[in-house]
Amino acid sequence: METLSTVRQWRAVAQSARDAGRRVGLVATMGALHDGHASLVRRARENGDVVLLSAFVNPRQFSDPADLSRYPRTPERDEEFARASGVDFFVSPTLEEMWPDFPAATLTTVSVHELGDVLEGVGRPGHFDGVASVVAKLFAVTGPCRAYFGEKDFQQLVVVRRMVRDLAFDVEVVGCPIHRDADGVALSSRNARLSPAGRERARALYGALRAARDAGAPASERRALMTRLLGDADLEVAYAEVVDVDTLRAVRDDAHGPARALVAAFVEGVRLIDNVAIELETRS
Ligand code: AMP
């Protein structure tokens, strides 16, 4: 594995891989690597890609400076973890390399308007502008053939897919399933901030989602059920939604077919998100 920190080196290695006839697979992360990230790397390796993993805590996607300063950072461990996971190029760019103007605004922002304004976008204004802008830049520098994103951040996956479609990026976006611990909790870098008791309470997110998935009820009842179950576990709910998988708009009670249930809730001040696929039955 080679470790790189400048845009120049990073662009050059990706170019050489393409010149050698290889496909470059990008796994974009904010570091604090865990097995969820490793599952994306595995998927890229299964496809035979040269795997480039970027680890960059992107300040432009944090609306709350305290959240940014508390975000876990484990750079040395990440390098070892990436090596052990089978990454070919570990890119850990400095802030100056990625956003030379920061903290002043860059003049160019990519915004996937309506998809970025709902769900996570409500409590985190500007979050998806930051995400779309950094992903566009990662694509511009890397020129990947495929980019791997986890369904864990379902809204992000939908936003990135839409950006790729609207701006005609020549990248296949590969959505990868959520990697969970044995107790059902979705792996997340933020879990490191939970106490053992908080971690126990975090199980309620997946519990509520499973209950909603299996409820066989109209969407509004499934939303109410999730809100109640999260409240019963003493979690502060940011949202508990059932949405259309493409538009991310709340589905109506007469909707049927595939949908997505998503929750965001605070445990010990840590904002956690999770989601599951659900199938809404035709109701007679
Ligand atoms: P992050 O470092 O949290 O920004 O995540 C980087 C990428 O890893 C994103 O595409 C996430 O959706 C994905 N990811 C994070 N956690 C998981 C997980 N538990 N299972 C699958 N993918 C994940």
Side-chain angles (χ1 to χ4, degrees), residues 27-37 39-40 61 71 148-154 156 176-180 186-189:
V27 177
T29 81
M30 295 207 297
L33 298 180
H34 52 66
D35 286 339
H37 300 117
S39 70
L40 307 190
Q61 67 189 68
Y71 198 83
Y148 297 83
F149 288 88
E151 290 179 349
K152 161 75 175 28
D153 298 273
F154 187 78
Q156 170 171 279
C176 302
I178 301 176
H179 199 77
R180 300 180 180 280
L187 296 193
S188 164
S189 307

Side-chain angles (χ1 to χ4, degrees), residues 56-63 68 95 99 102:
F56 176 64
V57 182
N58 173 32
R60 291 203 183 280
Q61 67 189 68
F62 287 81
S63 45
L68 173 60
L95 179 58
W99 301 124
F102 196 83

